[in-house]
Amino acid sequence: LCRKYEVPNFHFSTNAINLNERIINKCIDVQMPLLTISVDGGTNDTYEEIRTPMKWELLMKRFAQFKRIRSERGSEFPRLSVTSVLMRRNIRVMPGLVRLMHEKGVDYMNFVHLGVMGGLGVEDESLINDPKLGNETLEEVQRVADELGMQIVKPMPIPEDMADEVATRREQLLEAAADADDDVLMKFLEGEEVSDEELELCLHKGVKDSVLAPVMVTSANQDVGKIGRASWRGGVGGGGGGGGG
């Protein structure tokens, strides 16, 4: 359809579970510019832990299949890109993943930080909790990419004092949200730990009871804010891909 209606640029992202010969050949037939595969781990263990139910062995077969078919047909397109969602459990394998993807014929790689929403149980995976590890590893990723001539896009370094800033903002949010629940308010005033789940429930209750008024910053001129896709989860939003995100 994109070729029929002369759409100049189009691509799709996939986890490659169902990326078979028919689909690959169709992508080549229409000269689709780009195909993106989500790969959130550079080893069997990290990948299968994150990308359930996908199997590492099957993923490697998909890359080999794509490379073979594109070569046999003598086609430059589609170019192949990989997106990886960065988190604490996989960041250390990212330099090795760049080398592996280069061997598999990947043209570009895109790295994005995990976007955390409150109550999903993955808050500890965000590299905001360990900015030094994230920044240093991404520097190594860039060195490997430069050595191989691989084009990558990676996020800006996380300020190493951001963890303190997040803690401060959470305290301010909690102080406001606690007004919606007497039990949580008592815990807060007595210096007891309030869980993310309790905070999220306070936010929902506070909005429902008109104790809290959520404010969404938007600007049509600056293209800020996505009306119709917003969700009030009482958490921290971020980029994602794939995975991530």
Side-chain angles (χ1 to χ4, degrees):
L1 283 175
C2 288
R3 277 293 177 234
K4 178 180 178 181
Y5 291 103
E6 300 181 350
V7 176
N9 291 298
F10 58 96
H11 89 287
F12 70 81
S13 299
T14 175
N15 59 16
I17 287 181
N18 296 314
L19 187 62
N20 55 34
E21 283 203 26
R22 180 183 63 81
I23 294 174
I24 295 171
N25 276 302
K26 188 64 176 178
C27 291
I28 294 173
D29 289 343
V30 299
Q31 289 290 277
M32 185 173 75
L34 185 68
L35 172 66
T36 299
I37 298 178
S38 300
V39 183
D40 298 324
T43 66
N44 181 89
D45 291 342
T46 55
Y47 178 77
E48 292 189 5
E49 180 184 9
I50 295 168
R51 277 281 164 181
T52 304
M54 188 61 176
K55 298 298 181 184
W56 179 254
E57 182 180 358
L58 176 58
L59 179 68
M60 294 299 101
K61 288 180 178 178
R62 293 290 190 243
F63 277 111
Q65 184 181 43
F66 180 89
K67 187 176 181 180
R68 173 182 59 80
I69 295 173
R70 191 172 65 171
S71 176
E72 288 176 351
R73 296 195 54 180
S75 178
E76 181 184 356
F77 299 106
R79 296 289 181 86
L80 187 59
S81 75
V82 160
T83 292
S84 297
V85 177
L86 303 170
M87 54 193 89
R88 294 173 88 173
R89 76 175 78 178
N90 72 3
I91 185 66
R92 291 177 176 85
V93 303
M94 288 298 128
L97 179 62
V98 174
R99 293 190 183 279
L100 179 61
M101 294 297 95
H102 182 262
E103 293 173 4
K104 299 298 180 182
V106 173
D107 300 291
Y108 317 105
M109 293 191 71
N110 180 40
F111 298 93
V112 296
H113 282 300
L114 175 70
V116 177
M117 299 294 287
L120 297 183
V122 295
E123 292 80 6
D124 189 56
E125 285 292 336
S126 172
L127 285 162
I128 287 179
N129 299 299
D130 199 341
K132 186 172 186 291
L133 172 63
N135 294 340
E136 290 180 353
T137 306
L138 284 174
E139 288 177 3
E140 177 62 19
V141 163
Q142 186 67 66
R143 284 194 292 269
V144 172
D146 290 344
E147 172 194 328
L148 299 172
M150 168 83 77
Q151 183 177 335
I152 69 169
V153 176
K154 59 182 177 47
M156 295 178 63
I158 301 173
E160 295 199 11
D161 60 353
M162 183 171 281
D164 294 335
E165 177 71 11
V166 170
T168 299
R169 297 301 182 187
R170 185 184 188 278
E171 190 77 2
Q172 293 171 344
L173 180 63
L174 179 54
E175 183 177 0
D179 287 336
D181 188 291
D182 290 340
D183 291 336
V184 173
L185 179 60
M186 288 303 299
K187 290 181 70 173
F188 174 72
L189 294 176
E190 293 173 3
E192 296 182 33
E193 180 66 25
V194 177
S195 70
D196 288 340
E197 289 75 16
E198 289 174 312
L199 175 56
E200 184 174 1
L201 288 173
C202 278
L203 290 168
H204 279 283
K205 187 173 187 297
V207 173
K208 180 180 178 182
D209 295 344
S210 298
V211 175
L212 300 173
V215 177
M216 176 172 289
V217 179
T218 64
S219 170
N221 290 335
Q222 299 298 321
D223 193 27
V224 175
K226 298 292 185 181
I227 304 302
R229 297 190 62 185
S231 64
W232 180 251
R233 296 278 303 178
V236 179

